[in-house]
Amino acid sequence: MMQTHPEFAQNQKDIERATQEFIKRGGGESLSGIANLGTPLYTIPVVVHVVYKTVVQNISQAQILSQISVLNKDYQLKNSDTSLIPSVFKLRRGDFKIKFCLAKTDPNGNATTGIIRKKTTKKSFSSNDAVKFSSMGGDNAWPADKYLNIWVCNLGQGLLGYAQFPGGPASTDGVVILYSAFGDELTVDPPYDKGRTATHEIGHWLNLRHIWGDDGGACTGSDLVGDTPNQAGENYGCPSFPHISCGNGPNGDMFMNYMDYTDDACMFMFTKGQRDRSYAVLQPGGARYSVTQSGKCAAVIASLMNNNATEISNTIKIYPQPANNYANIGFKTNWKGNTTITLINGMGSIVTVKQTNAESKIYRLDVSALKSGIYYIRLNNNKEMISQKIIVQH
């Protein structure tokens, strides 16, 4: 990537600088809501491009949904095998509080399943990104600032998957996964049958590096994370604990980390340090921030923003309900001129006021600092007024 896109090197330097600054400020622990259970802090819409030549490669919706379920468990520390983490590492385990969902709104504002199926004449794909372009037998990416693109296909060269780090070209941004290593049911093949290939590759998409630092066993590399032990190289299969290298005894390698190369059944944790590193790119101004703000997981966007839906007028839709950290305020009106958007608390006092001249809009409201309770969103154009209740629950 650095050879073909010189700007990528500078982008990576800028991202790394921002990452280290975020970690110095306290990382995830400095964020409101990080200690709260329940609704995740970040929601990432996913579009899955299934590029297939044979029937078996055209994986089912059930298999795709199983992968989304695995991702949500792994990135929210809800995976049942977290109980297998050695006791010496348990306090380091990290909850990313990320929710993944199949997109419900496509780039044109229409309803979608979040799954694109594309038949190809290609027997297999390599790491040259051909699968990401319709002109090369694959399928074009959806806007990378709004979606996490995942391509599922038949990969050659012994590849299970590969990913693009933040800061690269939008046209190739996302991850690619072998069809038989995607999800944890149906056409998956052991030992890569528990959906951890996608967990690993999305870790790269979130700016995580291999836990051994990619130094060829020299013990001099680093994954730039403070709470992962230095180790000589990648681990395969299912090592026995402790597995010592680079003088990292008595506890040895954290080979059960998702960013190692062990079998799916033998990797089951991220660390808090890895969480903080990924969180840096999810903050305002970060390389992945806009994806979390796109609102493409909400089906209401399609109905509110579809220009053909003329029957919808002077309507407010609020989601999710109840809201925890944010709420999407979607509205469509037949008003001309400025519209005032007002948030009012249960006592009738004004909390915030915004103005827009749009007749339809999706407005993202930060409610993380509000007390739990009932509020109201009011739209007014000095002639007409509509309102809707919003429930905030922390």
Side-chain angles (χ1 to χ4, degrees), residues 240-255:
S240 298
F241 179 82
H243 183 270
I244 299 172
S245 68
C246 293
N248 60 12
N251 301 323
D253 298 354
M254 191 182 281
F255 57 80

Side-chain angles (χ1 to χ4, degrees), residues 46-50 60-61 64 102-103 112-117 142:
V46 175
V47 55
V48 178
H49 308 259
V50 181
S60 69
Q61 182 181 36
I64 293 170
L102 288 174
T112 180
T113 61
I115 302 170
I116 306 299
R117 299 185 183 276
W142 283 13

Side-chain angles (χ1 to χ4, degrees), residues 1 8 12 15 163-169 173-174 203-210 214 288:
M1 182 67 71
F8 177 64
Q12 276 280 294
I15 290 169
Q164 181 168 301
F165 283 97
D173 195 35
H204 288 316
W205 184 82
L206 288 167
N207 207 31
L208 295 183
R209 304 190 180 191
H210 289 140
D214 296 298
R288 302 302 186 200

